Amino acid sequence: MAWKRWRAPWRGRVWLLVVLAALPIAAAAVVAVAYPSVAATACPGCYGLQRLAPDVYAESGLPPFRRRQVLIAVEEAERRVRAFYGGRQASPRILACLSDRCYRRIGGGGERGVAVLNRAVMLSPDGVDPVIASHEMSHVELHDRLVTDDAVPQWFDEGLAVLVSGDPRYLAPETAADRCLASTDAALPVTLDAWLRAAGADVRTYAKAACQVSRWGAANGGPRAVPDLVRRLNAGETFGAVTRM
């Protein structure tokens, strides 16, 4: 379950690295203890992660087949994001753990994956998978394209990520006339906190959000719907006015 615990309007990893580098040693140590996800994103090697490819890191000491597993999952996830958005603008740093100990060390919890500061993706042992990786990469890609992070409600962000990843837990196959596995007429969570509460209480919340996004996309030009939505939101229109939801 991909919960976004780190979502902030900070623009760019370079800025984050400069800030951390400028901190006194004691202050940097506090950041590392209090916010290991942020610190691990800035310095993967400090947390025992080894570079496998540009912006792809995994815990050190993995056998070759495990390193290939990470690279294959990331490559397929990138392909899904690229295919959906018609290209990629974001290049998130990927931090992949194949053990629970590694994932806890970099600040992970019970989720399979998480987007960090909209600039990185952390994958747990259960999240080194194209579905989970592309779900989290979709969040980063969407927010990289938006002028403001709060331009879309959380349910749309999550439903879109399910659609991009093609998660079979929450969507029927692409060949289905209607991909919905669960639908609702009730309002879905707008804020991150509300989303986490709702999704924690009912896992079908993801399917309901994916259903609404899927039907909205199908009714608004298919692949063109999201780029058009982003363009109009960046031009100052509101989400409600653009989608009429």
Side-chain angles (χ1 to χ4, degrees), residues 51-180:
R51 182 178 180 273
L52 302 186
D55 272 331
V56 180
Y57 294 81
E59 64 182 292
S60 60
L62 294 177
F65 81 95
R66 286 296 193 186
R67 293 197 294 270
R68 286 196 300 272
Q69 178 187 351
V70 172
L71 292 173
I72 289 171
V74 171
E75 288 171 2
E76 172 58 20
E78 290 176 342
R79 187 198 65 78
R80 294 185 188 193
V81 173
R82 187 182 303 110
F84 187 92
Y85 285 94
R88 293 176 63 216
Q89 290 186 190
S91 297
R93 177 167 285 181
I94 310 299
L95 310 181
C97 284
L98 274 297
S99 71
D100 292 333
R101 180 181 179 183
C102 166
Y103 197 58
R104 288 193 301 269
R105 185 169 62 243
I106 65 174
E111 71 285 337
R112 293 188 179 188
V114 63
V116 181
L117 296 176
N118 297 326
R119 283 295 179 234
V121 167
M122 290 178 10
L123 300 175
S124 75
D126 290 333
V128 181
D129 172 270
V131 170
I132 303 303
S134 57
H135 181 115
E136 299 306 330
M137 287 182 189
S138 173
H139 290 303
V140 177
E141 184 69 30
L142 175 65
H143 286 271
D144 189 76
R145 291 167 180 253
L146 291 169
V147 171
T148 58
D149 279 335
D150 59 355
V152 299
Q154 191 68 29
W155 69 262
F156 185 89
D157 197 347
E158 297 292 348
L160 180 62
V162 171
L163 189 60
V164 171
S165 67
D167 196 326
R169 296 174 297 173
Y170 309 124
L171 275 176
E174 287 188 68
T175 53
D178 184 354
R179 303 190 69 185
C180 291

Side-chain angles (χ1 to χ4, degrees), residues 4 7 139 142-143 149-159 186-199 205 209 212 239-240 243 245:
K4 268 50 64 191
R7 304 296 290 280
H139 290 303
L142 175 65
H143 286 271
D149 279 335
D150 59 355
V152 299
Q154 191 68 29
W155 69 262
F156 185 89
D157 197 347
E158 297 292 348
L188 288 167
V190 172
T191 67
L192 175 59
D193 288 343
W195 175 268
L196 293 178
R197 288 193 299 271
T205 306
Q212 289 206 18
F239 178 81
T243 60
M245 288 184 171

Side-chain angles (χ1 to χ4, degrees), residues 12-78:
R13 259 195 323 265
V14 173
W15 185 89
L16 175 61
L17 289 168
V18 170
V19 169
L20 289 178
L23 288 174
I25 293 176
V30 170
V31 171
V33 172
Y35 306 109
S37 299
V38 177
T41 294
C43 182
C46 300
Y47 285 76
L49 299 176
Q50 176 184 5
R51 182 178 180 273
L52 302 186
D55 272 331
V56 180
Y57 294 81
E59 64 182 292
S60 60
L62 294 177
F65 81 95
R66 286 296 193 186
R67 293 197 294 270
R68 286 196 300 272
Q69 178 187 351
V70 172
L71 292 173
I72 289 171
V74 171
E75 288 171 2
E76 172 58 20
E78 290 176 342

